[in-house]
Amino acid sequence: MILPNQLTVMRIILTPVFFFLFLQESAIMQQISVIVFLIAAITDWYDGWLARKFNYITSWGKFMDPLADKILTSAAFLGFVFLGILPGWMVYIIIIRDFLITGLRSFAELKKHSFYTSRSAKIKTFVQMFFLYYLLIIYVLRTFPSFIHEFEYYYKLFSDKSLIYYIMLFVTVFTAYTGFSYIYKNRFMIRELYAPKSK
């Protein structure tokens, strides 16, 4: 197994570690969980860089790399649902959309087809990750009483529940939109992939 694929496996292994630590009541455990999440996120960037630079591209990697990304981000979103910070229905929409599209893309790759990826889909990924980092930072800052005391006004401003709700609502709607757009723009290829073969 080449290094990029090993990093992908590492990201999958780190996901339940992050999830377990993140849900602990201990402030230290929560702080460590964010470090684990960041390490896992870095492996995503690094394995992609290695694959492109040294042409370490395999069918297994094409299938598992995006799946590992979705597992990591889904775990983070679900963690915030368990903590009562994010509404479950929004997170479930995001997870279903992401795994559905990832599954279609992976199946197309196996059939030697390439799906058209719109700019909005790439922006969606950036928006999701930016929001997750925002939530993780806000959540971990609360474990540093000295910081909250020093910057109480700014902490309350950016940790406002209504603000988080509406940002999450935007992320959910935008994610759902890119999913419908993705399917529509690739509808002919999807039809070809799943059309019964004529004898």
Side-chain angles (χ1 to χ4, degrees):
M1 182 177 285
I2 59 177
L3 183 55
N5 291 347
Q6 292 174 352
L7 291 172
T8 298
V9 172
M10 178 181 175
R11 188 156 68 257
I12 295 173
I13 293 173
L14 286 176
T15 298
V17 176
F18 154 76
F19 191 76
F20 172 78
L21 294 172
F22 186 64
L23 295 182
Q24 301 306 304
E25 295 183 359
S26 167
I28 295 177
M29 292 293 190
Q30 293 170 6
Q31 293 163 14
I32 294 174
S33 74
V34 175
I35 296 173
V36 172
F37 183 88
L38 291 175
I39 293 173
I42 289 171
T43 65
D44 178 30
W45 171 83
Y46 190 52
D47 70 8
W49 179 81
L50 284 173
R52 291 188 297 270
K53 184 175 179 62
F54 299 103
N55 198 29
Y56 290 155
I57 299 173
T58 64
S59 298
W60 188 92
K62 287 182 178 180
F63 175 78
M64 288 302 300
D65 184 63
L67 183 61
D69 297 342
K70 298 301 177 287
I71 291 173
L72 177 63
T73 55
S74 296
F77 275 124
L78 285 172
F80 285 113
V81 172
F82 276 82
L83 294 170
I85 295 173
L86 295 178
W89 68 270
M90 293 187 189
V91 170
Y92 302 144
I93 288 174
I94 289 175
I95 292 176
I96 291 171
R97 179 270 181 214
D98 283 351
F99 275 95
L100 173 63
I101 299 302
T102 300
L104 285 173
R105 285 183 61 188
S106 298
F107 184 69
E109 290 285 352
L110 291 174
K111 296 291 184 178
K112 308 301 180 184
H113 291 278
S114 295
F115 268 27
Y116 167 78
T117 302
S118 65
R119 185 181 179 187
S120 62
K122 296 177 181 178
I123 295 174
K124 180 272 306 178
T125 301
F126 171 80
V127 168
Q128 279 189 6
M129 293 306 296
F130 183 86
F131 183 55
L132 275 177
Y133 286 127
Y134 158 76
L135 286 177
L136 287 168
I137 291 171
I138 291 296
Y139 188 73
V140 169
L141 284 180
R142 55 180 273 284
T143 65
F144 296 95
S146 58
F147 178 90
I148 295 178
H149 178 74
E150 189 72 23
F151 302 97
E152 182 177 4
Y153 170 77
Y154 298 101
Y155 178 78
K156 287 183 177 179
L157 176 65
F158 290 103
S159 62
D160 181 76
K161 289 186 177 181
S162 61
L163 175 64
I164 292 175
Y165 178 88
Y166 286 113
I167 294 177
M168 182 60 181
L169 181 61
F170 168 77
V171 173
T172 304
V173 172
F174 187 56
T175 299
Y177 162 76
T178 60
F180 287 119
S181 175
Y182 203 106
I183 292 174
Y184 178 77
K185 290 178 179 178
N186 292 283
R187 62 191 183 283
F188 297 115
M189 184 181 295
I190 293 172
R191 189 179 304 166
E192 180 182 343
L193 287 172
Y194 289 94
K197 295 181 179 179
S198 56
K199 296 182 179 180

